Amino acid sequence: LAELYHGWDQERLKTVAKVLIKQAQSLSGVSLVQATGVGNYLHDFMAYCLASKLLRSEDDLLCNHLLTLDAYRHWFVQGDGMRPDLLWLTARLDANNRIALNMHLIECKLGQKNPHYLEKGEKQVRNGLRTLLPAFLPRAKTGGDDIRPDQRYWWLQLHRLIASQTVISLQRREVVMSVLERLADGDYEISWNGAVLAFWTDEHGGTLNRIGNGSFESHESGMMQFGIFSMGHEAVIELCSGATPAYI
């Protein structure tokens, strides 16, 4: 950390390191062993942990899970350079007892301020949306054949992700098991969002700032925008010292 954030005293370094290690326990696909090695592994590890600490969601969710997409490279036909970092998946029951999913793709950048990082981050989020949005389409409401021959594979991927992370109370067991079965058959609602998160090591800023917007357009979703955010090193300290998380 001292190599990334010059000028931090030992107390700050210990505070942040402790929070990062604790936060990492909730992430899948992240290796602490890699983070101790050379290269950008520490950058990625730290950025993912900070991103997970930033996220906040509503109560009474069936599932609230942050996936590191390095564990799901087989989902993407393009190389690692165009894959976003994280997928924040939340699931709840709607008024009709159907699973409603929100899928939030996040690309993280940690380093000295550089507009090229943001440009690449936008492209990675767009590529993630372009790849996963049509893959995870629910069954057509009009019935009949679905467009993709591999559609059931993607429904089962969703079912596996959510079922493995859902805690079911005895009172809701029958209802939840039923909606999970319907999910595996493509019966669910889904919405998408995205974000680019930049943690600048050479900026002082003490808040999370929305500094721009990216856009994505497709036949399935129409035009959508996603936020581009930045944090300076004082904001990192505030976050790791217990400041209230913020939506991205």
Side-chain angles (χ1 to χ4, degrees):
L1 290 180
E3 293 177 4
L4 293 177
Y5 287 91
H6 302 292
W8 279 8
D9 58 30
Q10 286 299 311
E11 192 62 34
R12 285 188 166 192
L13 291 170
K14 289 178 181 178
T15 297
V16 174
K18 184 177 179 179
V19 169
L20 295 182
I21 292 172
K22 181 179 179 181
Q23 204 69 29
Q25 297 175 39
S26 63
L27 290 174
S28 63
V30 171
S31 170
L32 271 170
V33 176
Q34 282 188 329
T36 63
V38 297
N40 289 328
Y41 290 124
L42 178 59
H43 295 67
D44 295 340
F45 171 76
M46 184 171 181
Y48 299 170
C49 293
L50 291 174
S52 70
K53 191 160 177 59
L54 275 172
L55 304 178
R56 187 179 63 189
S57 59
E58 61 191 88
D59 296 328
D60 197 30
L61 292 172
L62 285 178
C63 177
N64 182 5
H65 190 39
L66 186 65
L67 306 171
T68 52
L69 289 175
D70 60 355
Y72 296 88
R73 297 178 184 183
H74 54 286
W75 284 358
F76 297 89
V77 293
Q78 295 193 39
D80 279 358
M82 290 303 294
R83 170 179 49 79
D85 291 321
L86 305 169
L87 171 61
W88 181 28
L89 183 157
T90 60
R92 60 178 174 81
L93 288 182
D94 66 13
N96 298 314
N97 273 344
R98 299 175 75 204
I99 285 186
L101 302 173
N102 184 269
M103 312 285 270
H104 206 128
L105 289 170
I106 302 169
E107 173 60 27
C108 301
K109 302 295 183 186
L110 190 147
Q112 295 185 352
K113 187 176 180 179
N114 188 332
H116 296 299
Y117 290 161
L118 302 181
E119 293 171 9
K120 184 178 180 182
E122 284 186 62
K123 292 178 182 178
Q124 288 170 272
V125 171
R126 279 197 292 267
N127 180 55
L129 291 167
R130 188 179 301 111
T131 302
L132 297 183
L133 195 151
F136 286 126
L137 279 178
R139 184 178 294 280
K141 291 182 173 64
T142 55
D145 293 332
D146 291 285
I147 297 173
R148 293 176 63 125
D150 62 345
Q151 198 73 69
R152 184 165 294 278
Y153 165 82
W154 292 101
W155 294 339
L156 291 174
Q157 289 281 292
L158 271 183
H159 180 274
R160 179 183 178 187
L161 284 175
I162 295 168
S164 66
Q165 296 295 325
T166 298
V167 178
I168 308 172
S169 66
L170 289 175
Q171 294 85 350
R172 303 176 73 184
R173 179 182 175 87
E174 188 173 339
V175 171
V176 173
M177 294 300 289
S178 173
V179 297
L180 285 174
E181 287 180 11
R182 289 159 55 192
L183 169 72
D185 198 39
D187 184 13
Y188 57 90
E189 297 287 340
I190 191 167
S191 61
W192 290 87
N193 208 328
V196 178
L197 279 177
F199 303 98
W200 300 135
T201 58
D202 57 344
E203 278 207 339
H204 184 271
T207 58
L208 174 71
N209 297 311
R210 186 164 186 156
I211 57 175
N213 295 295
S215 61
F216 172 76
E217 185 174 11
S218 72
H219 172 73
E220 296 87 0
S221 68
M223 176 65 74
M224 62 181 290
Q225 287 192 331
F226 54 89
I228 302 171
F229 302 86
S230 71
M231 291 180 68
H233 58 81
E234 287 298 322
V236 170
I237 292 293
E238 287 293 318
L239 184 64
C240 294
S241 299
T244 303
Y247 288 106
I248 61 167

